[in-house]
Amino acid sequence: GESVGLHLPTLSVQEGDNSIINCAYSNSASDYFIWYKQESGKGPQFIIDIRSNMDKRQGQRVTVLLNKTVKHLSLQIAATQPGDSAVYFCAESRNFNKFYFGSGTKLNVKP
Amino acid sequence: DAGITQSPRYKITETGRQVTLMCHQTWSHSYMFWYRQDLGHGLRLIYYSAAADITDKGEVPDGYVVSRSKTENFPLTLESATRSQTSVYFCASSSDRVQPQHFGDGTRLSIL
């Protein structure tokens, strides 16, 4: 299968700081990427997506950066809040077919 | 309120038993998916369906059966449960294959 992984399994940040969660992918043909947030006992929740013809996309307090040269994806969360504490997954697909998910990064926000 | 619901939320059964996990969505989404989530593996696709009566295998389909007689329902059946199928199962749906998937809250299945 495809290989989608995360550099840091756990990230701890102070409330109010910015968070950066990283993801590496192995298939250079991947053309669509999604970030999901998963809280304990719940299903993944869509945060933001990006297509391979873009290198940056912004949402509310979140920014996704795509570097196709090094096959790297990152999620930036501005002014991190306690409610941001969760596990974050990246997922990638090629031609919008099957999605492959990374194993996740746990974000701990310290008050 | 529209959404995607899974039932049961928790299930304990024995090896060799048949068990069916239910998934229902109220958005009339064409696409539906079943994933399993295991520690260290992230989410892995079991089966998906592009429309009623159309299903296809994902990454880990062995030991599972699906059907899609109605657009809103996508049940997953373990015909003869094995311990290796102990996992958390998530159902998801999307309006189109280019749209993000919306997930249910999962079924935690334990096979003794």
Side-chain angles (χ1 to χ4, degrees), chain A residues 21-103:
Chain A
I21 300 171
N22 298 301
C23 180
Y25 62 96
S26 61
N27 193 329
S28 58
S30 295
D31 55 15
Y32 182 53
F33 305 87
I34 303 177
W35 279 102
Y36 285 95
K37 171 187 179 182
Q38 186 176 25
E39 296 174 298
S40 180
K42 299 206 169 188
Q45 177 186 2
F46 170 80
I47 301 173
I48 192 167
D49 59 355
I50 189 167
R51 302 192 182 188
S52 59
N53 60 352
M54 303 174 68
D55 53 21
K56 180 179 180 179
R57 191 163 188 223
Q58 288 184 294
Q60 187 176 12
R61 283 201 307 119
V62 295
T63 300
V64 55
L65 299 176
L66 175 62
N67 186 329
K68 294 181 287 294
T69 302
V70 295
K71 292 182 284 189
H72 185 267
L73 189 71
S74 69
L75 176 70
Q76 300 179 0
I77 304 174
T80 313
Q81 302 169 0
D84 295 326
S85 293
V87 176
Y88 290 81
F89 295 92
C90 64
E92 57 98 8
S93 75
R94 185 171 69 248
N95 295 326
F96 302 100
N97 285 321
K98 301 170 188 176
F99 284 83
Y100 297 91
F101 288 77
S103 55

Coordinates of all heavy atoms in Angstrom, one line a residue, chain A residues 21-103:
Chain A
I21 N 2.2 20.3 12.6 CA 2.2 18.8 12.6 C 2.6 18.5 11.2 O 2.1 19.0 10.2 CB 0.8 18.3 12.9 CG1 0.4 18.7 14.3 CG2 0.8 16.8 12.8 CD1 -1.1 18.4 14.6
N22 N 3.6 17.5 11.1 CA 4.2 17.2 9.8 C 3.7 15.8 9.3 O 3.4 14.9 10.1 CB 5.7 17.2 9.9 CG 6.2 18.6 10.2 OD1 6.0 19.5 9.5 ND2 6.9 18.7 11.3
C23 N 3.8 15.6 8.0 CA 3.4 14.3 7.4 C 4.3 14.1 6.2 O 4.4 15.1 5.4 CB 1.9 14.4 7.1 SG 1.3 12.9 6.3
A24 N 4.8 12.9 6.0 CA 5.5 12.6 4.8 C 4.8 11.6 4.0 O 4.1 10.7 4.6 CB 6.9 12.0 5.1
Y25 N 4.8 11.7 2.7 CA 4.1 10.7 1.8 C 5.2 10.2 0.8 O 6.2 10.8 0.5 CB 2.9 11.3 1.2 CG 3.1 12.4 0.2 CD1 3.3 12.2 -1.2 CD2 3.2 13.7 0.7 CE1 3.5 13.2 -2.0 CE2 3.4 14.8 -0.2 CZ 3.6 14.5 -1.5 OH 3.8 15.6 -2.4
S26 N 4.9 9.0 0.3 CA 5.9 8.3 -0.5 C 5.6 8.3 -2.0 O 6.5 8.2 -2.8 CB 6.2 6.9 0.0 OG 5.0 6.1 -0.2
N27 N 4.3 8.5 -2.3 CA 3.9 8.4 -3.7 C 3.9 9.7 -4.4 O 3.0 10.6 -4.0 CB 2.5 7.7 -3.8 CG 2.2 7.3 -5.2 OD1 2.7 7.9 -6.2 ND2 1.5 6.2 -5.4
S28 N 4.8 10.0 -5.3 CA 4.8 11.3 -5.9 C 3.6 11.5 -6.8 O 3.4 12.7 -7.2 CB 6.1 11.4 -6.7 OG 6.2 10.4 -7.7
A29 N 2.9 10.5 -7.1 CA 1.7 10.7 -8.0 C 0.4 11.1 -7.1 O -0.6 11.4 -7.7 CB 1.4 9.4 -8.7
S30 N 0.6 11.1 -5.8 CA -0.6 11.5 -5.0 C -1.0 13.0 -5.3 O -0.1 13.8 -5.5 CB -0.2 11.4 -3.5 OG 0.0 10.1 -3.2
D31 N -2.3 13.2 -5.5 CA -2.7 14.5 -5.9 C -3.7 15.2 -5.0 O -4.3 16.3 -5.4 CB -3.2 14.4 -7.4 CG -4.3 13.4 -7.6 OD1 -4.8 12.9 -6.5 OD2 -4.5 13.0 -8.7
Y32 N -4.1 14.5 -4.0 CA -5.1 15.1 -3.1 C -4.8 14.7 -1.6 O -4.5 13.5 -1.4 CB -6.5 14.6 -3.5 CG -7.6 15.2 -2.6 CD1 -7.8 16.6 -2.5 CD2 -8.6 14.4 -2.1 CE1 -8.8 17.1 -1.7 CE2 -9.6 14.9 -1.3 CZ -9.7 16.2 -1.2 OH -10.8 16.7 -0.5
F33 N -4.8 15.7 -0.7 CA -4.4 15.5 0.7 C -5.4 16.1 1.6 O -6.0 17.1 1.3 CB -3.0 16.1 0.9 CG -1.9 15.6 0.0 CD1 -1.7 16.2 -1.2 CD2 -1.2 14.5 0.3 CE1 -0.8 15.8 -2.1 CE2 -0.2 14.1 -0.6 CZ 0.0 14.7 -1.8
I34 N -5.6 15.4 2.7 CA -6.6 15.8 3.7 C -6.0 15.7 5.1 O -5.3 14.8 5.4 CB -7.9 15.0 3.7 CG1 -8.5 15.0 2.3 CG2 -8.9 15.5 4.7 CD1 -9.8 14.1 2.2
W35 N -6.3 16.7 5.9 CA -6.0 16.6 7.3 C -7.3 16.4 8.1 O -8.3 17.1 7.9 CB -5.4 17.9 7.8 CG -3.9 18.0 7.6 CD1 -3.3 18.7 6.6 CD2 -2.8 17.3 8.3 NE1 -1.9 18.5 6.6 CE2 -1.6 17.6 7.7 CE3 -2.8 16.4 9.4 CZ2 -0.4 17.2 8.1 CZ3 -1.6 16.0 9.8 CH2 -0.4 16.3 9.2
Y36 N -7.2 15.4 9.0 CA -8.4 15.1 9.9 C -8.0 15.3 11.3 O -6.8 15.0 11.7 CB -8.9 13.6 9.7 CG -9.6 13.4 8.5 CD1 -9.0 12.9 7.3 CD2 -11.0 13.6 8.4 CE1 -9.7 12.6 6.2 CE2 -11.8 13.3 7.3 CZ -11.1 12.9 6.2 OH -11.8 12.6 5.0
K37 N -8.9 15.6 12.2 CA -8.7 15.7 13.6 C -9.6 14.6 14.3 O -10.8 14.4 13.9 CB -9.2 17.1 14.1 CG -9.2 17.2 15.6 CD -9.9 18.6 16.0 CE -9.9 18.8 17.5 NZ -10.6 20.1 17.8
Q38 N -9.0 13.9 15.2 CA -9.8 12.8 15.9 C -9.7 13.0 17.4 O -8.7 12.9 18.0 CB -9.4 11.4 15.5 CG -10.3 10.3 16.0 CD -9.9 8.9 15.6 OE1 -8.7 8.7 15.2 NE2 -10.8 8.0 15.5
E39 N -10.9 13.3 18.0 CA -10.9 13.3 19.5 C -11.3 11.9 20.0 O -11.8 11.1 19.3 CB -12.0 14.4 19.9 CG -11.6 15.8 19.4 CD -12.7 16.8 19.7 OE1 -13.8 16.6 19.1 OE2 -12.5 17.7 20.5
S40 N -10.9 11.8 21.3 CA -11.1 10.5 21.9 C -12.5 10.0 21.8 O -13.5 10.7 22.2 CB -10.7 10.6 23.4 OG -10.8 9.3 24.0
G41 N -12.7 8.8 21.3 CA -14.1 8.2 21.3 C -14.9 8.7 20.1 O -16.1 8.3 20.0
K42 N -14.3 9.4 19.2 CA -15.1 10.0 18.1 C -14.4 9.6 16.7 O -13.2 9.2 16.7 CB -15.2 11.5 18.2 CG -15.9 11.9 19.5 CD -16.6 13.2 19.3 CE -17.5 13.5 20.4 NZ -18.3 14.7 20.2
G43 N -15.1 9.8 15.7 CA -14.6 9.6 14.4 C -13.7 10.7 13.9 O -13.9 11.8 14.4
P44 N -12.9 10.5 12.9 CA -12.1 11.7 12.3 C -13.0 12.7 11.8 O -14.1 12.5 11.2 CB -11.3 11.0 11.2 CG -11.3 9.5 11.6 CD -12.6 9.3 12.3
Q45 N -12.6 14.0 12.0 CA -13.3 15.1 11.5 C -12.5 15.9 10.5 O -11.3 16.2 10.8 CB -13.7 16.0 12.8 CG -14.4 17.3 12.4 CD -14.5 18.2 13.7 OE1 -14.1 17.8 14.8 NE2 -15.2 19.3 13.5
F46 N -13.1 16.2 9.4 CA -12.4 16.9 8.3 C -11.9 18.3 8.8 O -12.7 19.0 9.5 CB -13.3 17.1 7.1 CG -12.7 18.0 6.1 CD1 -11.8 17.6 5.2 CD2 -13.2 19.3 6.0 CE1 -11.3 18.5 4.2 CE2 -12.8 20.2 5.0 CZ -11.8 19.8 4.1
I47 N -10.6 18.7 8.6 CA -10.1 20.0 8.9 C -9.9 20.8 7.6 O -10.5 21.9 7.5 CB -8.8 19.9 9.7 CG1 -9.0 19.1 10.9 CG2 -8.3 21.3 10.0 CD1 -7.6 18.9 11.6
I48 N -9.1 20.3 6.8 CA -8.7 21.1 5.6 C -8.2 20.1 4.5 O -7.6 19.1 4.9 CB -7.7 22.2 5.9 CG1 -7.6 23.2 4.8 CG2 -6.4 21.6 6.4 CD1 -6.9 24.5 5.2
D49 N -8.3 20.5 3.3 CA -7.7 19.7 2.2 C -6.9 20.5 1.3 O -7.0 21.8 1.3 CB -8.8 18.9 1.5 CG -9.8 19.8 0.8 OD1 -9.8 21.0 1.0 OD2 -10.7 19.2 0.1
I50 N -6.1 19.9 0.4 CA -5.3 20.6 -0.6 C -5.1 19.7 -1.7 O -4.9 18.5 -1.6 CB -4.0 21.1 0.1 CG1 -3.3 22.1 -0.9 CG2 -3.1 20.0 0.5 CD1 -2.1 22.8 -0.3
R51 N -5.1 20.3 -2.9 CA -4.8 19.5 -4.1 C -3.4 19.8 -4.6 O -2.8 20.8 -4.2 CB -5.9 19.8 -5.2 CG -7.3 19.5 -4.7 CD -8.3 19.6 -5.8 NE -9.6 19.3 -5.2 CZ -10.7 19.1 -5.9 NH1 -10.7 19.2 -7.2 NH2 -11.9 18.9 -5.3
S52 N -2.9 18.9 -5.4 CA -1.5 19.0 -5.7 C -1.1 20.2 -6.6 O 0.1 20.5 -6.8 CB -1.0 17.7 -6.4 OG -1.8 17.5 -7.6
N53 N -2.1 20.9 -7.1 CA -1.8 22.0 -7.9 C -1.6 23.3 -7.1 O -1.5 24.4 -7.6 CB -2.8 22.3 -9.0 CG -4.2 22.5 -8.4 OD1 -4.4 22.3 -7.2 ND2 -5.2 22.8 -9.3
M54 N -1.7 23.1 -5.7 CA -1.5 24.2 -4.8 C -0.4 23.9 -3.9 O -0.1 22.7 -3.7 CB -2.8 24.4 -4.0 CG -4.0 24.7 -4.8 SD -5.5 24.7 -3.8 CE -5.2 26.2 -2.9
D55 N 0.2 24.9 -3.3 CA 1.2 24.6 -2.2 C 0.8 25.2 -0.9 O 1.5 24.9 0.1 CB 2.6 25.1 -2.7 CG 2.6 26.6 -3.0 OD1 1.6 27.3 -2.6 OD2 3.5 27.1 -3.7
K56 N -0.2 25.9 -0.8 CA -0.7 26.4 0.5 C -2.2 26.6 0.4 O -2.7 27.1 -0.6 CB 0.0 27.7 0.7 CG -0.4 28.4 2.0 CD 0.4 29.7 2.2 CE 0.1 30.4 3.5 NZ 0.9 31.6 3.7
R57 N -2.8 26.4 1.5 CA -4.3 26.7 1.6 C -4.6 27.0 3.1 O -4.1 26.4 4.0 CB -5.1 25.4 1.2 CG -6.5 25.8 1.0 CD -7.3 24.7 0.2 NE -8.6 25.2 0.0 CZ -9.7 24.4 0.1 NH1 -9.6 23.2 0.4 NH2 -10.9 24.9 -0.2
Q58 N -5.4 28.0 3.2 CA -5.7 28.5 4.6 C -7.1 28.3 4.9 O -8.0 28.5 4.1 CB -5.3 30.0 4.7 CG -3.8 30.2 4.7 CD -3.4 31.7 5.0 OE1 -3.7 32.5 4.1 NE2 -2.8 31.9 6.1
G59 N -7.4 28.0 6.2 CA -8.7 28.0 6.7 C -8.8 28.8 8.0 O -7.9 29.7 8.2
Q60 N -9.8 28.6 8.8 CA -9.9 29.3 10.0 C -8.8 28.8 11.0 O -9.0 27.7 11.5 CB -11.3 29.2 10.6 CG -11.5 30.1 11.8 CD -13.0 30.0 12.3 OE1 -13.7 29.2 11.9 NE2 -13.4 31.0 13.1
R61 N -7.8 29.6 11.3 CA -6.7 29.2 12.3 C -5.9 28.1 11.8 O -4.9 27.7 12.4 CB -7.2 28.9 13.7 CG -7.6 30.0 14.5 CD -7.6 29.7 16.0 NE -8.4 28.5 16.3 CZ -7.9 27.4 16.9 NH1 -6.6 27.3 17.1 NH2 -8.7 26.4 17.1
V62 N -6.1 27.5 10.6 CA -5.3 26.4 10.1 C -4.8 26.7 8.7 O -5.5 27.4 7.9 CB -6.1 25.1 10.1 CG1 -6.4 24.6 11.5 CG2 -7.3 25.2 9.2
T63 N -3.6 26.2 8.5 CA -3.0 26.4 7.2 C -2.3 25.0 6.8 O -1.7 24.4 7.7 CB -1.9 27.5 7.2 OG1 -2.5 28.7 7.6 CG2 -1.2 27.6 5.8
V64 N -2.5 24.6 5.6 CA -1.8 23.4 5.1 C -0.8 23.8 4.1 O -1.1 24.6 3.2 CB -2.8 22.3 4.6 CG1 -3.7 22.9 3.5 CG2 -2.1 21.1 4.1
L65 N 0.4 23.3 4.2 CA 1.4 23.5 3.3 C 1.8 22.2 2.6 O 1.9 21.2 3.3 CB 2.7 24.1 4.0 CG 2.5 25.4 4.7 CD1 3.7 25.8 5.4 CD2 2.1 26.5 3.7
L66 N 2.0 22.2 1.3 CA 2.4 21.1 0.5 C 3.7 21.3 -0.2 O 3.8 22.3 -1.0 CB 1.3 20.7 -0.5 CG 1.5 19.6 -1.4 CD1 1.8 18.3 -0.6 CD2 0.4 19.4 -2.4
N67 N 4.7 20.5 0.0 CA 5.9 20.6 -0.7 C 6.1 19.3 -1.5 O 6.5 18.3 -0.9 CB 7.1 20.8 0.3 CG 8.4 21.0 -0.3 OD1 8.7 20.5 -1.4 ND2 9.3 21.7 0.3
K68 N 5.8 19.4 -2.7 CA 5.9 18.2 -3.6 C 7.3 17.8 -3.9 O 7.5 16.6 -4.2 CB 5.1 18.5 -4.9 CG 3.6 18.7 -4.7 CD 2.8 18.9 -5.9 CE 3.1 20.3 -6.5 NZ 2.5 21.4 -5.7
T69 N 8.2 18.7 -3.8 CA 9.6 18.3 -4.1 C 10.1 17.3 -3.1 O 10.8 16.3 -3.5 CB 10.5 19.6 -4.0 OG1 10.0 20.5 -5.0 CG2 11.9 19.2 -4.4
V70 N 9.8 17.5 -1.8 CA 10.3 16.6 -0.8 C 9.1 15.7 -0.3 O 9.3 14.9 0.7 CB 10.9 17.3 0.4 CG1 12.2 18.0 -0.1 CG2 10.0 18.3 1.0
K71 N 8.0 15.7 -0.9 CA 6.8 14.9 -0.5 C 6.5 15.1 0.9 O 6.5 14.1 1.7 CB 7.0 13.5 -0.9 CG 7.1 13.3 -2.4 CD 7.3 11.8 -2.8 CE 8.7 11.4 -2.6 NZ 9.0 10.1 -3.1
H72 N 6.2 16.3 1.3 CA 6.0 16.7 2.7 C 4.7 17.6 2.8 O 4.5 18.5 2.0 CB 7.2 17.4 3.2 CG 7.1 17.7 4.7 ND1 6.6 18.9 5.2 CD2 7.4 17.0 5.8 CE1 6.6 18.9 6.5 NE2 7.1 17.8 6.9
L73 N 3.9 17.3 3.8 CA 2.7 18.0 4.1 C 2.7 18.5 5.5 O 3.2 17.7 6.4 CB 1.5 17.0 3.9 CG 0.1 17.5 3.9 CD1 -0.2 18.3 2.6 CD2 -0.8 16.3 4.0
S74 N 2.3 19.7 5.8 CA 2.2 20.1 7.2 C 0.9 20.8 7.5 O 0.3 21.4 6.6 CB 3.4 21.0 7.5 OG 3.3 22.3 6.8
L75 N 0.5 20.8 8.7 CA -0.7 21.4 9.2 C -0.2 22.4 10.3 O 0.4 22.0 11.3 CB -1.7 20.4 9.8 CG -2.9 21.0 10.4 CD1 -3.8 21.6 9.4 CD2 -3.7 20.0 11.3
Q76 N -0.5 23.7 10.1 CA -0.2 24.7 11.1 C -1.5 25.2 11.7 O -2.4 25.5 11.0 CB 0.5 25.9 10.4 CG 1.8 25.5 9.7 CD 2.5 26.6 9.0 OE1 2.0 27.8 9.1 NE2 3.7 26.3 8.4
I77 N -1.5 25.2 13.1 CA -2.6 25.6 13.8 C -2.2 26.9 14.6 O -1.2 26.8 15.4 CB -3.1 24.6 14.8 CG1 -3.4 23.3 14.1 CG2 -4.3 25.1 15.6 CD1 -3.8 22.1 15.0
A78 N -2.8 28.0 14.3 CA -2.5 29.3 15.0 C -3.2 29.4 16.3 O -4.3 28.9 16.5 CB -2.8 30.4 14.1
A79 N -2.5 30.0 17.3 CA -3.0 30.2 18.6 C -3.7 29.0 19.1 O -4.9 29.0 19.4 CB -4.0 31.4 18.5
T80 N -3.0 28.0 19.3 CA -3.5 26.7 19.7 C -4.3 26.8 21.0 O -3.9 27.4 22.0 CB -2.4 25.6 19.9 OG1 -1.5 25.7 18.7 CG2 -3.0 24.2 20.0
Q81 N -5.5 26.1 21.0 CA -6.4 26.2 22.2 C -6.5 24.8 22.8 O -6.3 23.8 22.1 CB -7.7 26.7 21.7 CG -7.7 28.0 21.0 CD -9.0 28.4 20.4 OE1 -10.0 27.6 20.4 NE2 -9.1 29.5 19.8
P82 N -7.0 24.7 24.0 CA -7.1 23.3 24.6 C -8.1 22.4 23.8 O -7.9 21.2 23.8 CB -7.8 23.7 26.0 CG -7.2 25.0 26.3 CD -7.1 25.8 25.0
G83 N -9.0 23.0 23.1 CA -9.9 22.2 22.3 C -9.3 21.7 21.1 O -9.9 20.8 20.4
D84 N -8.1 22.1 20.8 CA -7.3 21.5 19.7 C -6.6 20.2 20.0 O -6.1 19.5 19.1 CB -6.3 22.5 19.2 CG -6.9 23.8 18.6 OD1 -8.0 23.7 18.0 OD2 -6.3 24.8 18.7
S85 N -6.6 19.9 21.3 CA -6.0 18.6 21.7 C -6.7 17.4 21.1 O -7.9 17.3 21.3 CB -6.0 18.5 23.3 OG -5.2 19.4 23.9
A86 N -6.0 16.6 20.4 CA -6.6 15.5 19.6 C -5.5 14.8 18.9 O -4.3 15.1 19.0 CB -7.7 16.0 18.6
V87 N -5.9 13.8 18.1 CA -4.9 13.1 17.2 C -5.2 13.6 15.8 O -6.4 13.7 15.4 CB -5.1 11.6 17.3 CG1 -4.2 10.9 16.2 CG2 -4.8 11.1 18.7
Y88 N -4.2 14.0 15.1 CA -4.3 14.5 13.8 C -3.8 13.5 12.8 O -2.7 13.0 12.9 CB -3.6 15.9 13.7 CG -4.3 16.9 14.5 CD1 -4.1 17.1 15.8 CD2 -5.2 17.8 13.8 CE1 -4.8 18.0 16.6 CE2 -5.9 18.8 14.6 CZ -5.7 18.9 15.9 OH -6.4 19.8 16.7
F89 N -4.5 13.3 11.7 CA -4.1 12.4 10.6 C -4.0 13.1 9.3 O -4.9 14.0 9.0 CB -5.2 11.3 10.4 CG -5.4 10.4 11.6 CD1 -6.4 10.6 12.5 CD2 -4.7 9.2 11.7 CE1 -6.6 9.8 13.6 CE2 -4.9 8.3 12.7 CZ -5.8 8.6 13.7
C90 N -3.0 12.8 8.5 CA -3.0 13.2 7.1 C -3.5 12.0 6.3 O -3.3 10.8 6.7 CB -1.7 13.7 6.7 SG -0.4 12.4 6.7
A91 N -4.1 12.2 5.2 CA -4.5 11.2 4.3 C -4.2 11.7 2.8 O -4.2 12.9 2.6 CB -6.0 10.9 4.4
E92 N -3.8 10.7 2.0 CA -3.5 11.1 0.6 C -4.2 10.1 -0.3 O -4.5 9.0 0.0 CB -2.0 11.1 0.4 CG -1.3 9.7 0.7 CD -1.0 8.9 -0.5 OE1 -1.2 9.3 -1.6 OE2 -0.6 7.7 -0.3
S93 N -4.4 10.6 -1.5 CA -5.0 9.7 -2.6 C -4.4 10.1 -3.9 O -3.9 11.2 -4.1 CB -6.5 9.8 -2.6 OG -6.9 11.0 -3.2
R94 N -4.6 9.2 -4.8 CA -4.2 9.5 -6.2 C -5.4 9.3 -7.1 O -6.1 8.3 -7.0 CB -3.1 8.5 -6.6 CG -2.6 8.7 -8.0 CD -1.4 7.8 -8.3 NE -1.8 6.4 -8.4 CZ -1.5 5.5 -7.5 NH1 -0.8 5.8 -6.4 NH2 -1.8 4.2 -7.7
N95 N -5.7 10.3 -7.8 CA -6.9 10.4 -8.7 C -8.2 10.2 -7.9 O -9.2 9.7 -8.3 CB -6.9 9.3 -9.7 CG -5.7 9.5 -10.7 OD1 -5.4 10.6 -11.1 ND2 -5.1 8.4 -11.2
F96 N -8.2 10.7 -6.6 CA -9.3 10.7 -5.7 C -9.9 9.3 -5.6 O -11.1 9.1 -5.3 CB -10.4 11.6 -6.3 CG -9.9 13.0 -6.4 CD1 -9.5 13.5 -7.6 CD2 -9.8 13.8 -5.3 CE1 -9.1 14.8 -7.8 CE2 -9.3 15.1 -5.4 CZ -9.0 15.6 -6.7
N97 N -9.1 8.3 -5.7 CA -9.5 6.9 -5.4 C -9.3 6.6 -3.9 O -9.6 7.4 -3.1 CB -8.9 5.9 -6.3 CG -9.4 6.0 -7.8 OD1 -10.6 6.2 -7.9 ND2 -8.6 5.9 -8.7
K98 N -8.8 5.5 -3.6 CA -8.7 5.1 -2.2 C -7.7 6.0 -1.5 O -6.7 6.5 -2.0 CB -8.1 3.7 -2.2 CG -9.0 2.7 -2.9 CD -8.3 1.3 -3.0 CE -9.1 0.4 -3.9 NZ -8.4 -0.9 -4.2
F99 N -8.1 6.3 -0.2 CA -7.3 7.2 0.6 C -6.5 6.3 1.5 O -6.9 5.3 2.0 CB -8.3 8.0 1.5 CG -8.9 9.2 0.7 CD1 -10.0 9.0 -0.1 CD2 -8.3 10.4 0.7 CE1 -10.5 10.0 -0.9 CE2 -8.8 11.5 -0.1 CZ -9.9 11.3 -0.8
Y100 N -5.3 6.8 1.8 CA -4.3 6.1 2.7 C -4.0 7.1 3.8 O -3.7 8.3 3.6 CB -3.1 5.7 1.9 CG -3.4 4.7 0.8 CD1 -3.6 5.1 -0.5 CD2 -3.4 3.3 1.1 CE1 -3.9 4.2 -1.4 CE2 -3.7 2.4 0.1 CZ -3.9 2.8 -1.1 OH -4.2 1.9 -2.1
F101 N -4.1 6.6 5.0 CA -4.0 7.4 6.2 C -2.7 7.2 6.9 O -2.2 6.0 7.0 CB -5.2 7.1 7.2 CG -6.5 7.6 6.7 CD1 -7.2 7.0 5.7 CD2 -7.0 8.8 7.3 CE1 -8.4 7.4 5.3 CE2 -8.3 9.3 6.9 CZ -9.0 8.6 5.9
G102 N -2.1 8.2 7.5 CA -1.0 8.0 8.4 C -1.4 7.5 9.7 O -2.6 7.4 10.0
S103 N -0.5 7.2 10.6 CA -0.8 6.6 11.9 C -1.2 7.7 12.9 O -1.7 7.3 14.0 CB 0.3 5.7 12.4 OG 1.5 6.5 12.5

